[in-house]
Amino acid sequence: MHLYERLPIFVFEIEACENLTYITMAIRFNLDRTGRHLSLKDWQALPYAAREALAGYIPGDDDFPARLDQLVSDHLGRSPDTAGDAPDMAWEDTHALPPGLLAQCALADLAPPSVADWAGLTPFRRYVLTKLSRRTDKQNHCFVPAMLEFRLAQATL
């Protein structure tokens, strides 16, 4: 069975995250939600089994922080870093589209979703689009695939 069939990984993440070389969006959500930071270097220093264990937590799982602390302590000999910058919480607002999302839509030449469609997304999906929209000067290569996967854009032939 493929990893993406048993872990919370979006289709647009499969290529980058199938072997857990990169941090999945579910892990990023859990890190941001708990005020923790794990660098890509530290993530890749964890044994594969530890990365797989962390990747198995669904977004918002309350047991994630304790397991993360334990695995980082066991394998890296320290506690996880606390996040320096506060994460962008614009995804929590269901009454307005985040500015970064509007910028990414413009860069991709996509019509932005309606506020109603934005509000209809799960909090985790709103988080993902906000995270993918952090940069407003350069198009994120995962943004359009995520918009397509979340049915907020249509493929053109």
Side-chain angles (χ1 to χ4, degrees):
M1 177 182 287
H2 295 285
L3 195 61
Y4 64 84
E5 292 175 309
R6 38 183 228 284
L7 298 177
I9 297 175
F10 290 112
V11 172
F12 73 85
E13 295 183 280
I14 291 174
E15 186 177 337
C17 296
E18 171 59 18
N19 60 7
L20 296 177
T21 299
Y22 296 99
I23 302 171
T24 68
M25 294 306 291
I27 295 166
R28 289 180 189 279
F29 180 78
N30 284 328
L31 288 168
D32 281 350
R33 186 177 135 301
T34 60
R36 289 168 168 76
H37 174 77
L38 194 62
S39 70
L40 181 58
K41 180 180 175 184
D42 285 346
W43 171 254
Q44 292 172 347
L46 290 172
Y48 183 84
R51 288 182 276 154
E52 188 172 2
L54 291 171
Y57 284 93
I58 60 169
D61 192 315
D62 290 334
D63 294 331
F64 178 84
R67 186 70 171 137
L68 173 70
D69 291 350
Q70 177 191 3
L71 290 171
V72 170
S73 177
D74 290 352
H75 297 289
L76 303 181
R78 61 175 177 73
S79 296
D81 298 329
T82 54
D85 296 331
D88 183 352
M89 302 303 281
W91 60 272
E92 291 184 323
D93 185 354
T94 58
H95 302 290
L97 299 175
L101 178 89
L102 294 171
Q104 280 294 314
C105 285
L107 288 168
D109 199 24
L110 288 177
S114 69
V115 173
D117 286 342
W118 173 252
L121 292 173
T122 65
F124 179 46
R125 286 183 176 211
R126 288 194 312 271
Y127 166 85
V128 167
L129 290 173
T130 303
K131 192 77 166 176
L132 295 175
S133 301
R134 289 175 302 188
R135 298 222 22 208
T136 58
D137 61 332
K138 181 179 175 187
Q139 187 176 341
N140 182 302
H141 69 281
C142 289
F143 181 76
V144 171
M147 290 285 285
L148 289 167
E149 185 170 346
F150 299 167
R151 299 182 189 267
L152 296 176
Q154 295 181 355
T156 57
L157 301 177

